[in-house]
Amino acid sequence: MTRLVYSLLTTALVQAANLGFGVAAARLLGPNDRGIFAYQVTLSTVVATLFSFGIGEAIAYVASANRAGFRHSTYIVASVLYGAAGALAWLFVYPMIAMISNHDQYLAYAVFMAYPVLNYLTLCLVAWFAGRGLTRAWNIQRVLVQISQPLTLVCLLVIEGASISAFAFSVIFAHIIAVAVGVCQISVSSFLAKPRWLDMKEVFQVGMQSFGSRLSDLIRDNADRLIVGTLLAPEILAQYVVAVSVAQIFNAYSQTVIQLYFPRIGALVNSGHHALIERQAAFLVLGGGIAAIAVSFLASDWLVVAIFGGKFAMAGELAPVLVVGMVFASMKALISAHALAIRQPWITSKIDVYAVPVTIATIFLAVHLVGAWGAACAFVFSQAGVAYVMFLAYRQFRTAR
């Protein structure tokens, strides 16, 4: 319980920093530039995810298995290789689907080329700490990424004022700081050993098994925003992104619960206490979800306007719907964590893969017909449907055993 309380307090700090960064982007950039920046962040994340090959999940699996002699340089090399491919993809993809109209947007586009490599390195460090059950180190990584962004932004604003590129630089610098501290937490010498190619092959194989879940997370976190940004004006995307940032407060809570319980689920997988741990994690996620939905429907309208400004009133109306979707998405993530812990990630990852084209088509059609409201409703229905099918498949597998 102490670890849970500590992690939740850390999560609150992380969310406060993340929310502050979002508020600064909304108020300083305005709806139009905020929408452009959101589109760049979203697309760079999509590109990075597609070229990650589930590396974060694979490292969490290796760490939870207490693999003796595993060399950290293995995932450093893998991150650089995957990241190089992601960077090249970003350079070609963004100009093809988005217009770069000024020097500020072009500079931000160039800065985000470094995002895939840094993103993979941060993912691997967080996954290693979580898989090993090193709560303090894991929380330090989470705090560093989110706290460093606004702190770096303040320094950049003093130098050059508000711009899209300043926000882009702050994101990249935050990841650089987090990677440097994470390496020091493990020890610099651990990363200097020659990587084992057999370990890298295993990381790739395990990652590909759970890549379906990672791909589904991509749909949950980014595809709706990417489609809204492609079909609608940047100002509407800015409204939707602000609403998502409110909904993600609950997502951060549920992910904290899942990451904390993952090592215990894996350690007790063959014991009589496994079912008890499953119920405890489910109770915490569902209980928090009910509370989040109630608060969002009662207070999100005036809260969003008070924090982000009157120009983002539409976001306050969208936020409660997206919170409902986040609750279903968290249920899905909890089931996926259980499947990975019992060394059967395919149970949920294959469902994620099958759901991807349906989800994309549903969101695209809904946005085309109803706009941002369509994206929010499609998000809820897609996450609820996938969570239900995952639950049936997981229960059937556990019963068969």
Side-chain angles (χ1 to χ4, degrees), residues 56 67 102 219 303 351 375:
R67 186 69 50 80
N102 56 49
I219 301 303
L303 192 60
I351 297 172

Side-chain angles (χ1 to χ4, degrees), residues 25 34 59 63 73 85 105 114 118 122 148 157 163 166 190 230 233 256 296 304 310 314 333 342 344 375 386 399:
R34 177 68 182 98
I59 296 303
S73 55
Q105 295 177 22
L118 295 171
T122 307
S148 297
L157 291 178
S163 64
S190 299
T230 302
T256 299
S296 66
V304 169
M314 179 183 176
I342 63 174
Q344 301 293 335
V386 174
T399 302

Side-chain angles (χ1 to χ4, degrees), residues 256-280:
T256 299
V257 173
I258 293 169
Q259 292 284 8
L260 282 173
Y261 274 86
F262 179 77
R264 297 176 64 187
I265 294 169
L268 301 175
V269 64
N270 294 318
S271 73
H273 299 289
H274 183 260
L276 176 62
I277 297 300
E278 284 185 331
R279 286 195 297 270
Q280 288 177 352

Side-chain angles (χ1 to χ4, degrees), residues 61-78:
Y61 168 81
V62 172
S64 65
N66 291 317
R67 186 69 50 80
F70 181 83
R71 296 178 180 177
H72 294 280
S73 55
T74 296
Y75 59 78
I76 293 294
V77 173

Side-chain angles (χ1 to χ4, degrees), residues 56-394:
E57 291 79 359
I59 296 303
Y61 168 81
V62 172
S64 65
N66 291 317
R67 186 69 50 80
F70 181 83
R71 296 178 180 177
H72 294 280
S73 55
T74 296
Y75 59 78
I76 293 294
V77 173
S79 296
V80 172
L81 293 176
Y82 295 173
L88 290 175
W90 164 256
L91 286 176
F92 284 104
V93 169
Y94 186 79
M96 293 174 59
I97 62 177
M99 181 181 297
I100 302 177
S101 59
N102 56 49
H103 177 266
D104 183 32
Q105 295 177 22
Y106 185 84
L107 181 58
Y109 154 71
V111 168
F112 275 119
M113 183 179 66
Y115 183 76
V117 175
L118 295 171
N119 176 254
Y120 301 157
L121 291 173
T122 307
L123 273 177
C124 289
L125 290 167
V126 171
W128 180 268
F129 294 139
R132 287 282 185 171
L134 302 174
T135 307
R136 186 179 298 277
W138 169 56
N139 281 319
I140 288 175
Q141 283 289 293
R142 297 167 63 217
V143 168
L144 278 172
V145 172
Q146 299 302 332
I147 296 293
S148 297
Q149 284 183 188
L151 292 178
T152 305
L153 179 63
V154 170
C155 299
L156 293 171
L157 291 178
V158 172
I159 297 173
E160 64 172 74
S163 64
I164 298 175
S165 57
F167 280 85
F169 273 116
S170 66
V171 172
I172 297 302
F173 287 157
H175 281 78
I176 291 174
I177 295 170
V179 169
V181 173
V183 169
C184 292
Q185 284 181 293
I186 295 175
S187 83
V188 176
S189 60
S190 299
F191 293 88
L192 301 178
K194 184 178 179 181
R196 288 196 179 101
W197 297 108
L198 288 178
D199 288 342
M200 192 176 298
K201 179 181 177 181
E202 181 188 18
V203 167
F204 178 78
Q205 290 174 338
V206 173
M208 289 303 294
Q209 289 182 47
S210 59
F211 185 60
S213 296
R214 181 67 174 157
L215 195 61
S216 179
D217 289 343
L218 172 72
I219 301 303
R220 183 196 68 192
D221 296 335
N222 299 290
D224 51 348
R225 285 178 283 182
L226 191 60
I227 293 173
V228 169
T230 302
L231 297 182
L232 306 177
E235 293 87 347
I236 302 299
L237 175 60
Q239 299 283 349
Y240 191 80
V241 168
V242 168
V244 170
S245 68
V246 175
Q248 283 180 335
I249 295 175
F250 171 73
N251 183 53
Y253 162 82
S254 62
Q255 289 298 318
T256 299
V257 173
I258 293 169
Q259 292 284 8
L260 282 173
Y261 274 86
F262 179 77
R264 297 176 64 187
I265 294 169
L268 301 175
V269 64
N270 294 318
S271 73
H273 299 289
H274 183 260
L276 176 62
I277 297 300
E278 284 185 331
R279 286 195 297 270
Q280 288 177 352
F283 175 79
L284 288 171
V285 171
L286 291 176
I290 293 172
I293 291 172
V295 171
S296 66
F297 274 97
L298 291 174
S300 65
D301 283 347
W302 65 265
L303 192 60
V304 169
V305 171
I307 295 175
F308 291 91
K311 295 180 180 179
F312 293 93
M314 179 183 176
E317 300 172 359
L318 286 169
V321 180
L322 290 169
V323 170
V324 175
M326 284 295 177
V327 173
F328 285 116
S330 298
M331 295 178 188
K332 187 185 70 174
L334 181 63
I335 297 169
S336 296
H338 289 328
L340 181 60
I342 63 174
R343 314 295 191 260
Q344 301 293 335
W346 60 270
I347 299 174
T348 55
S349 63
K350 66 178 182 180
I351 297 172
D352 279 324
V353 171
Y354 295 151
V356 165
V358 178
T359 300
I360 293 177
T362 301
I363 295 175
F364 185 89
L365 181 62
V367 172
H368 182 72
L369 295 175
V370 197
W373 283 100
C377 293
F379 175 73
V380 173
F381 289 128
S382 64
Q383 296 303 316
V386 174
Y388 179 69
V389 174
M390 276 189 179
F391 173 74
L392 294 179
Y394 180 77

